[in-house]
Amino acid sequence: MLKNIIKRSLQENMLPLPISKSVCHKWASGLNLKKDSDTILYTSCLYQLIPYINSFTEYMEKFNVSRGHFSSLIPILSKFSFLLKPKKELTEKSEKILRNIVNELSITINFGYLYDEEPYSGALLYELGFEDEFREYVKKVVEIFKSNNIKKIITIDPHTHYILKVVYPKVVNFNIEVVNYLELIRPMKKANLSVVIHDSCLYSRFLDMHDTYRKILDNMSIERKEHQVFTAKDVGGCCGGPIESLAPEISRRIAEIRVNELSKLSKNIVVVCPICLANLSRVPSNVNIIDLAELF
């Protein structure tokens, strides 16, 4: 059932959830980013989807999806997507993150943005194991890049970066340069703040970027608390986000454990992934869940 919903949504609007495509690009209104550049900022709509993902997950928990009631919920949400009520503060937070990334990148590189033509990467299909559907969908995404003469893509999240950098070349003819925004920015702003990092599993263990965002925090004079287990490269904990669409209750429990262990080091938890931001933000607590880009 979940696969069918994702497939249908991707066919209709090239997004994994049945929501308006305008959700993905309205944050860029007024920024006057070029659309005809061969170097683009590629959001894959992940940060923009955070408020809708959390709303979707709340419905799944309410309807006890993990206990087998999934089939009764999904058709309702597919036909009545307006039931997904994104929280205003989370929408504003996502837009601030995207705009701060644009501001920092603009200092060092010229780039454009595809606006309403920007497709979702298909990462969720791959991560849930729907590989045949993923291979077919990726062809459509690459065709959009080629039709816009894209030569270089700047990613802003670990899931999209891993899919484009590591997986795409294995399943399709893909010769576009992929670079992550964390490798390009040099924030000059200083902040009197002490934080603990919740690492992205992909950045830390699979893309060798564990130290990349630590250096950014160091350059901003932000104190970071480290722990031999909680923030270690190879054994740091998961946020629980990857299973939120399959087992939301278990996903929330994992997030609670993660927030509890990190809060022993600092009440300011810095994340570098929209999925981590979404799932850790579901935990009621007295800690601040902060995306790195909010500090720029």
Side-chain angles (χ1 to χ4, degrees):
M1 181 63 75
L2 176 61
K3 181 169 70 174
N4 291 337
I5 294 303
I6 296 173
K7 280 179 60 180
R8 186 165 66 187
S9 184
L10 288 173
Q11 289 171 353
E12 292 177 353
N13 61 8
M14 298 200 78
L15 290 174
L17 289 178
I19 60 174
S20 170
K21 191 68 183 292
S22 64
V23 167
C24 295
H25 58 84
K26 65 180 182 181
W27 67 274
S29 176
L31 291 180
N32 297 318
L33 297 173
K34 297 179 295 183
K35 194 174 180 181
D36 59 348
S37 173
D38 63 5
T39 297
I40 58 165
L41 175 78
Y42 181 46
T43 74
S44 191
C45 202
L46 269 195
Y47 274 103
Q48 301 91 312
L49 285 174
I50 290 174
Y52 295 89
I53 291 173
N54 278 16
S55 178
F56 186 69
T57 305
E58 286 178 5
Y59 273 106
M60 290 196 294
E61 280 190 293
K62 184 177 180 180
F63 283 81
N64 292 323
V65 167
S66 60
R67 296 177 183 173
H69 298 166
F70 193 67
S71 58
S72 63
L73 170 65
I74 295 302
I76 296 174
L77 291 181
S78 296
K79 294 180 180 178
F80 304 102
S81 57
F82 61 85
L83 292 174
L84 297 176
K85 301 291 186 183
K87 292 181 179 177
K88 181 181 178 182
E89 59 269 24
L90 201 49
T91 299
E92 292 176 345
K93 187 182 185 81
S94 298
E95 292 181 354
K96 178 184 178 182
I97 291 167
L98 292 167
R99 285 176 171 264
N100 282 2
I101 290 173
V102 165
N103 289 338
E104 280 301 324
L105 276 174
S106 298
I107 297 172
T108 58
I109 188 170
N110 293 317
F111 60 90
Y113 177 55
L114 291 180
Y115 288 87
D116 56 335
E117 282 196 79
E118 184 187 66
Y120 172 67
S121 70
L124 187 59
L125 287 173
Y126 180 81
E127 291 167 357
L128 292 177
F130 306 143
E131 294 196 14
D132 291 340
E133 290 77 9
F134 172 73
R135 288 174 184 273
E136 288 302 310
Y137 178 75
V138 165
K139 295 175 184 175
K140 298 178 183 177
V141 176
V142 173
E143 185 56 38
I144 291 173
F145 290 148
K146 288 183 177 178
S147 66
N148 282 279
N149 298 312
I150 303 304
K151 301 292 189 294
K152 185 173 185 175
I153 291 174
I154 304 170
T155 62
I156 63 171
D157 74 87
H159 293 266
T160 304
H161 191 68
Y162 182 81
I163 285 291
L164 266 62
K165 188 85 174 180
V166 179
V167 182
Y168 269 33
K170 296 178 180 177
V171 301
V172 69
N173 182 18
F174 188 69
N175 54 10
I176 300 174
E177 180 183 0
V178 178
V179 62
N180 188 272
Y181 90 100
L182 295 171
E183 301 170 304
L184 299 173
I185 60 168
R186 299 289 184 272
M188 300 299 290
K189 182 179 178 180
K190 305 297 182 184
N192 181 21
L193 192 65
S194 177
V195 306
V196 60
I197 298 172
H198 165 74
D199 286 290
S200 147
C201 297
L202 289 171
Y203 275 158
S204 183
R205 289 197 273 271
F206 297 95
L207 292 165
D208 196 26
M209 294 176 65
H210 183 261
D211 294 330
T212 305
Y213 36 88
R214 282 173 168 73
K215 290 178 181 176
I216 291 173
L217 289 174
D218 291 348
N219 290 336
M220 295 175 70
S221 301
I222 294 175
E223 180 188 26
R224 52 181 170 83
K225 301 290 187 180
E226 300 286 357
H227 186 274
Q228 59 184 351
V229 175
F230 297 161
T231 62
K233 180 177 180 179
D234 296 321
V235 294
C238 176
C239 72
I243 61 167
E244 65 184 0
S245 60
L246 299 174
E249 292 176 356
I250 297 175
S251 174
R252 176 189 287 274
R253 180 58 186 142
I254 293 172
E256 289 172 348
I257 293 172
R258 187 60 174 154
V259 168
N260 180 56
E261 61 187 21
L262 291 177
S263 65
K264 295 173 182 174
L265 300 175
S266 173
K267 299 302 181 186
N268 296 310
I269 299 176
V270 170
V271 299
V272 286
C273 167
I275 302 300
C276 298
L277 176 62
N279 210 43
L280 296 183
S281 295
R282 295 171 59 211
V283 179
S285 68
N286 61 347
V287 304
N288 302 310
I289 309 298
I290 308 166
D291 189 276
L292 176 67
E294 292 181 88
L295 300 173
F296 301 159

